Amino acid sequence: MHLTVFGATGGTGRLVVEQALDAGHEVRAVVRTPGGLTLDHENLHVLQADVFEPASLGPALDGADAVISALGARDRKHTGRVCERGIGSVLTAMDKAGVRRIVAVSAQPVLRSGEGEPFWFHKTVTPVVRAIYRNIYADLAEMEKLLARSDTEWTVVRPPYLTDKPGTGQYRTALEANVAGSSLTRADLAKALLDTLTERSTIRHALGVTGA
């Protein structure tokens, strides 16, 4: 499969690139600055582009089979609407290139109903987390709306708190619901993102995911 990865220099994006290459995929990793991704592989093509400028994304999407977005804000106070603006640009470029499939990282607290969460967790922990990271979740919610309005074959994956612990190779999911569990390793999230690409049942749905 020919994959295009946005957010490839972030903690999750880098692992997506590594795992995709290990699985035999050809990967185009989109970076903002040269040298942002130091991986070296015969099937890796690192392309410099501005994710907020659709015209610059054409070479990264030409001939691609699918897109994975691991875009995310680095600052919880000032997101700059990174995900909303970035996905808007990506969708425009995908439409021009004729690419249909996209899987994007969101977050567990974006689901306001708390479906799938223990009642106590939804009433105590979630409100606190949502208040602290309100700018990030507002940005992700708007990103999800853009995807829902598009005619792409989209899936959003909503993990809980992410850790940098070694991956287990296992995770649990729920369609249109969160999954009880307080954390997930970035490595396991990367695996979930790649696995979801070929799960047709997840198209035009949100997928809750957490550690096994």
Side-chain angles (χ1 to χ4, degrees):
M1 188 180 294
H2 290 69
L3 303 180
T4 301
V5 180
F6 293 96
T9 59
T12 299
R14 185 182 296 268
L15 291 168
V16 168
V17 172
E18 291 178 358
Q19 291 184 24
L21 292 170
D22 288 343
H25 300 299
E26 183 168 328
V27 180
R28 296 173 188 169
V30 181
V31 301
R32 184 173 59 181
T33 56
L37 190 66
T38 56
L39 297 175
D40 185 23
H41 194 284
E42 62 180 356
N43 290 333
L44 174 63
H45 310 276
V46 180
L47 302 177
Q48 184 181 3
D50 183 348
V51 74
F52 302 131
E53 294 293 337
S56 74
L57 305 182
L61 290 166
D62 185 29
D65 296 310
V67 170
I68 291 181
S69 170
L71 294 173
R74 298 182 185 276
D75 186 331
R76 68 182 175 87
K77 293 182 179 179
H78 305 98
T79 70
R81 294 168 40 234
V82 167
C83 296
E84 178 191 2
R85 293 171 57 214
I87 286 296
S89 180
V90 168
L91 289 173
T92 297
M94 285 177 62
D95 182 63
K96 186 173 183 179
V99 181
R100 298 276 298 153
R101 185 71 170 119
I102 178 170
V103 176
V105 177
S106 185
Q108 188 182 78
V110 174
L111 180 61
R112 303 294 295 192
S113 71
E115 180 71 25
E117 297 176 16
F119 179 79
W120 68 268
F121 188 90
H122 179 62
K123 292 298 183 180
T124 58
V125 177
T126 300
V128 174
V129 173
R130 190 176 285 134
I132 294 173
Y133 297 99
R134 59 186 177 275
N135 292 336
I136 288 177
Y137 299 139
D139 182 31
L140 289 171
E142 292 303 313
M143 177 199 76
E144 290 195 13
K145 290 177 183 177
L146 284 179
L147 287 164
R149 289 197 296 266
S150 77
D151 61 359
T152 59
E153 296 181 344
W154 59 267
T155 305
V156 293
V157 177
R158 295 173 177 153
Y161 176 74
L162 296 174
T163 76
D164 293 317
K165 294 179 180 179
T168 67
Q170 298 180 320
Y171 55 87
R172 293 176 291 133
T173 63
L175 207 61
E176 298 295 348
N178 289 333
V179 192
S182 60
S183 67
L184 177 70
T185 70
R186 292 183 186 278
D188 290 334
L189 172 59
K191 176 174 171 53
L193 292 167
L194 288 164
D195 290 347
T196 300
L197 282 174
T198 55
E199 290 291 337
R200 304 295 297 177
S201 62
T202 69
I203 290 176
R204 300 192 68 82
H205 287 291
L207 187 70
V209 60
T210 195

